[in-house]
Amino acid sequence: YMGSMDAPACYFDDTPVRLCSSPSKGRYLVATRTLEKGEEILQATCAVSAVFESHKKRVCAACLAVACGVKYEDIMKCSHCHQVWYCSSSCRDEDAVHRRACPSLKLLSSAKFDATVINVFRTVINICAIEQLTELGLDLAVVGIGLLVSNREQWREEQVQSWRKPLKVLLRILQHGSLIANDDAETVERLLHLISKMECNAFGLYQVSSSHQRDVCTGKGLFPTASYFNHSCAPNVEAVQYGSKMTFQTKEAVNEGDELCIEYIDTNLPCSARRAMLQDVYGFSCCCSRCDQESSRAVSGSVTKVSYALKQGQTKTHNPKHKPPSRKKLSKKGLAGSPGASTVTLVQPSLASESTDCQFRTESELTAD
């Protein structure tokens, strides 16, 4: 459940990146040579994703291309479950994962859950479908999901209990779609680990809007190769996502042997807030050079307090997890999606930051069609 310390060597073939591990850092990436600023070092592929209910008609369930200001035509949706839309007939016809997950997704649509739980369960259903397809020998790049780390063992008892009732419904949904055989304690524990893996490793998918609008998160996905980057509040790597592909590039020159880090959270927050969020969501207290320096200044009384609102108004380099790069930057790379689809950039909002309260319909309401 906790993820192997080994990863397929092919993950980093032909890249200037090497996977390392240590008891204190876990798995992390370092540069195998000197890297220049702006150099592309790695490309990750989305292994599994789930589009939010609010955006399912505007984001292709297969390639994650975002429709430009319009909804995809009804003819491009799944005619059985009516829960996923596609940008083209080829994406629809080639989506083997959805065909396996379809019955369970249809039943899930009759359950009344919090939006966060719905998205979590969509992803779990898709993972279970992928696992079955892999057992049948289909060539799907899913081995990385099994290697992801879970923090389930660090969960507080109230976190575990908050998922008990929702999981009872999920078990019925998975059994209805023949995605699991048993609903025993071992299966429940496995699902809790899957949820934790998503909480620790999922990347949000943010659509780049006009400069006068806020960027909107359209869903979440697991990019296994990208999960080997550790966090730093002063990262030297940033990421840009196009459809189901995510490209990582250096923000500054990097020396051979230096660790390569990205941001997991909004680093505009004060040091204490950043550390509290990272501890709560990801299970570690940040000890990066920036946090150490800021905490030392705070102890000595030499730091000047700046409001969060003021910080938000200050000019800041691109934060790969919370702010989109400029359109000029985005235009340098092609979109891995349908022609005319808009570009998206990545963020990683935590699942834990959203409410996991659920409302349930009666047993008679939650039945197969």
Side-chain angles (χ1 to χ4, degrees):
Y1 287 126
M2 294 302 292
S4 168
M5 290 303 292
D6 300 319
C10 62
Y11 273 15
F12 308 104
D13 285 350
D14 304 319
T15 73
V17 171
R18 182 175 71 251
L19 178 67
C20 301
S21 65
S22 73
S24 59
K25 289 185 176 182
R27 297 173 293 186
Y28 61 98
L29 300 177
V30 299
T32 59
R33 59 172 173 80
T34 300
L35 302 174
E36 298 179 358
K37 179 180 179 180
E39 185 172 347
E40 293 187 3
I41 59 174
L42 188 68
Q43 186 176 84
T45 300
C46 186
V48 62
S49 63
V51 178
F52 289 153
E53 176 74 17
S54 56
H55 290 81
K56 65 184 181 182
K57 296 182 181 180
R58 291 182 171 87
V59 180
C60 179
C63 71
L64 303 181
V66 182
C68 296
V70 296
K71 298 178 181 179
Y72 288 124
E73 297 294 334
D74 281 350
I75 195 174
M76 293 302 175
K77 71 179 178 182
C78 173
S79 59
H80 179 67
C81 70
H82 308 288
Q83 295 304 304
V84 298
W85 269 251
Y86 298 97
C87 65
S88 65
S89 57
S90 60
C91 274
R92 179 190 59 200
D93 297 342
E94 295 171 8
D95 192 356
V97 173
H98 176 69
R99 287 196 293 274
R100 192 68 196 85
C102 186
S104 292
L105 289 175
K106 183 175 183 178
L107 184 55
L108 177 63
S109 67
S110 69
K112 190 175 182 181
F113 289 104
D114 173 89
T116 299
V117 177
I118 286 286
N119 189 258
V120 169
F121 284 0
R122 282 176 183 265
T123 309
V124 170
I125 289 169
N126 286 336
I127 290 174
C128 290
I130 289 172
E131 289 174 344
Q132 284 200 354
L133 291 174
T134 304
E135 290 174 1
L136 295 175
L138 296 186
D139 184 18
L140 297 171
V142 299
V143 65
I145 297 174
L147 297 173
L148 296 177
V149 170
S150 160
N151 284 338
R152 159 69 181 90
E153 304 301 335
Q154 299 181 30
W155 280 13
R156 300 181 300 274
E157 182 57 27
E158 56 265 31
Q159 289 178 278
V160 177
Q161 291 303 320
S162 71
W163 285 104
R164 291 299 183 189
K165 287 186 178 180
L167 282 178
K168 288 182 180 180
V169 179
L170 178 61
L171 286 167
R172 293 181 54 210
I173 290 172
L174 293 172
Q175 286 182 313
H176 169 77
S178 301
L179 293 178
I180 60 171
N182 304 307
D183 59 357
D184 53 17
E186 183 178 353
T187 302
V188 171
E189 192 62 22
R190 173 175 169 268
L191 293 177
L192 288 172
H193 276 277
L194 279 179
I195 292 170
S196 178
K197 284 185 178 185
M198 292 160 55
E199 189 173 75
C200 297
N201 298 281
F203 287 85
L205 311 176
Y206 268 62
Q207 178 184 359
V208 176
S209 61
S210 69
S211 58
H212 302 293
Q213 296 178 332
R214 295 182 61 185
D215 304 301
V216 180
C217 188
T218 61
K220 293 183 181 179
L222 292 175
F223 295 75
T225 312
S227 294
Y228 295 107
F229 284 103
N230 272 349
H231 165 83
S232 172
C233 296
N236 52 13
V237 174
E238 61 185 355
V240 180
Q241 179 213 335
Y242 301 92
S244 61
K245 303 293 183 182
M246 186 186 301
T247 300
F248 291 85
Q249 61 188 42
T250 54
K251 295 181 65 176
E252 58 192 42
V254 179
N255 295 322
E256 179 181 351
D258 285 355
E259 184 176 1
L260 299 164
C261 297
I262 60 176
E263 295 173 345
Y264 288 6
I265 62 171
D266 184 356
T267 55
N268 273 322
L269 293 168
C271 178
S272 58
R274 297 197 307 268
R275 283 181 162 175
M277 183 178 295
L278 290 166
Q279 182 65 57
D280 182 57
V281 179
Y282 300 101
F284 69 90
S285 179
C286 187
C287 296
C288 70
S289 57
R290 178 184 166 190
C291 281
D292 286 345
Q293 292 172 4
E294 290 182 8
S295 60
S296 296
R297 290 200 302 270
V299 171
S300 65
S302 60
V303 64
T304 301
K305 291 185 177 181
V306 181
S307 71
Y308 179 60
L310 179 58
K311 285 185 178 182
Q312 289 290 78
Q314 294 174 345
T315 302
K316 185 178 182 294
T317 56
H318 165 53
N319 178 336
K321 300 227 177 259
H322 294 276
K323 293 182 180 179
S326 66
R327 290 191 176 277
K328 181 178 180 181
K329 180 176 181 180
L330 287 170
S331 66
K332 292 181 181 179
K333 301 179 176 63
L335 172 66
S338 63
S342 67
T343 328
V344 294
T345 188
L346 93 94
V347 296
Q348 189 170 358
S350 71
L351 294 173
S353 67
E354 299 175 286
S355 170
T356 55
D357 293 335
C358 307
Q359 289 182 304
F360 298 92
R361 294 183 179 181
T362 63
E363 290 290 305
S364 60
E365 289 179 296
L366 185 57
T367 56
D369 59 316

